[in-house]
Amino acid sequence: MDRTSPLGAFLQARRARLSPDDVGLPRYGDRRRVPGLRREEVALLAGVSAGYYTRLEQGRQANASPEVLDALATALHLTAAERDHLRDLSSTPGHRTRAATPGGAETVSADLRTLLTTMGHVPALVVGRRNDVLAWNRSCHALLAAHLDFTAPDGPGTRPNLTRLVFLDAPTRALYRDWPAKARAVVGNLRILTARNPGDAHLTALVTELRALSREFTAFWDAHPVAPCGRDVYALVHPAVGELTVTQQTFDVPKEPHQSLVTFTAEPGSPSAAALAALDQVSAGAGSGRP
């Protein structure tokens, strides 16, 4: 670990968002040069020495025990997802919440492709460990990216990356009525992916690229949001069917811990459901074949 370690940067960001009032510490009328808690205050709350905490934040402490990590998480008022992220960032081997990143190209099983085809009218896709689209069905392609080649996910060199699309692709950006909320969500998920796969050169290159090309990405990234994909509701403005609201849900794929199945649904009987049905008819007219 060095002075710019991900663990140290995350700790700095999280103590910066808290004030003494938030954690029940007196201010003594002091003026603070920077917002947030001081290192000494975090150490006091966590029950560790100020020197130890400083070394940990500066990357000069090799690791922290599970007990210390839990104490820091409590002191910094971390959410459940942020607690997991803190453990992922720790250099202690036992703290990893998932297995190490597998090598080689990512592939989608035949059974999963069959599932995508069978789902038919339900827009769905499979995303990989770097947020690349590994496969999608016709309905999902029509909903999210009709301006892209349907076969783009078939080759590792042409796969759409959902994070890159949100920040660098104009049609994708225009699709989300509340684009900042979507952008914050994908960055929060990317933070988790990079923590779980610290040796992945492709993820590192993706972050470097986005920081170079998007000031908005840099601002979100430097805020260290942590948000695992689960259930989100998005208002969309679709070029073919107009406004609709969809519920996005993400499910882990059994036996493929670095892949997720993502679905998009609308409230039955709602105008949004009618819009999805109309879009499904459009996608059906585009032809059949692989999902």
Side-chain angles (χ1 to χ4, degrees):
M1 294 172 65
D2 57 30
R3 296 179 66 88
T4 57
S5 70
L7 175 61
F10 179 66
L11 291 172
Q12 290 175 27
R14 287 302 172 266
R15 69 178 171 86
R17 73 180 182 180
L18 294 174
S19 71
D21 297 333
D22 294 327
V23 296
L25 289 178
R27 285 182 173 272
Y28 300 113
D30 62 328
R31 287 189 174 183
R32 297 181 178 236
R33 291 177 296 176
V34 294
L37 297 176
R38 296 179 174 131
R39 287 172 176 162
E40 295 80 4
E41 292 169 330
V42 176
L44 174 65
L45 292 168
V48 299
S49 72
Y52 176 89
Y53 177 78
T54 298
R55 292 193 301 272
L56 189 65
E57 192 174 284
Q58 290 182 342
R60 296 187 288 115
Q61 181 70 37
N63 53 56
S65 69
E67 292 76 17
V68 168
L69 292 176
D70 286 341
L72 289 172
T74 300
L76 294 170
H77 292 192
L78 300 188
T79 65
E82 290 169 339
R83 282 175 178 265
D84 288 341
H85 187 63
L86 181 65
R87 296 187 186 99
D88 281 333
L89 290 174
S90 172
S91 62
T92 302
H95 292 161
R96 294 293 178 195
T97 57
R98 289 194 179 187
T101 303
E106 296 183 273
T107 60
V108 177
S109 69
D111 288 343
L112 195 51
R113 288 187 180 277
T114 299
L115 175 62
L116 288 178
T117 301
T118 303
M119 293 176 73
H121 64 282
V122 178
L125 59 83
V126 178
V127 67
R129 63 180 179 266
R130 300 168 184 136
N131 220 18
D132 292 333
V133 177
L134 306 183
W136 50 21
N137 59 19
R138 290 281 180 184
S139 296
C140 187
H141 174 252
L143 176 66
L144 299 183
H147 61 292
L148 301 181
D149 189 338
F150 174 70
T151 64
D154 292 344
T158 60
R159 284 173 174 164
N161 179 274
L162 294 180
T163 309
R164 184 182 288 112
L165 288 176
V166 166
F167 282 95
L168 303 182
D169 182 70
T172 300
R173 181 175 183 132
L175 181 65
Y176 293 91
R177 177 168 292 283
D178 188 353
W179 179 85
K182 178 61 177 179
R184 189 178 302 108
V186 298
V187 171
N189 182 60
L190 185 61
R191 273 289 181 188
I192 292 175
L193 294 179
T194 56
R196 289 174 175 171
N197 307 289
D200 194 309
H202 293 281
L203 276 174
T204 300
L206 175 63
V207 172
T208 300
E209 173 195 3
L210 291 173
R211 286 180 68 90
L213 298 178
S214 172
R215 293 182 179 178
E216 291 162 312
F217 174 83
T218 299
F220 282 120
W221 184 256
D222 289 347
H224 290 260
V226 176
C229 290
R231 179 187 183 278
D232 297 287
V233 178
Y234 293 111
L236 307 181
V237 183
H238 196 278
V241 296
E243 297 187 3
L244 69 159
T245 298
V246 297
T247 298
Q248 175 183 314
Q249 297 186 81
T250 302
F251 307 91
D252 290 338
V253 176
K255 298 184 180 181
E256 294 291 347
H258 297 276
Q259 293 183 9
S260 299
L261 174 68
V262 184
T263 65
F264 302 85
T265 56
E267 186 69 23
S270 68
S272 294
L276 277 184
L279 194 60
D280 184 49
Q281 293 298 316
V282 173
S283 66
S288 61
R290 291 174 61 185

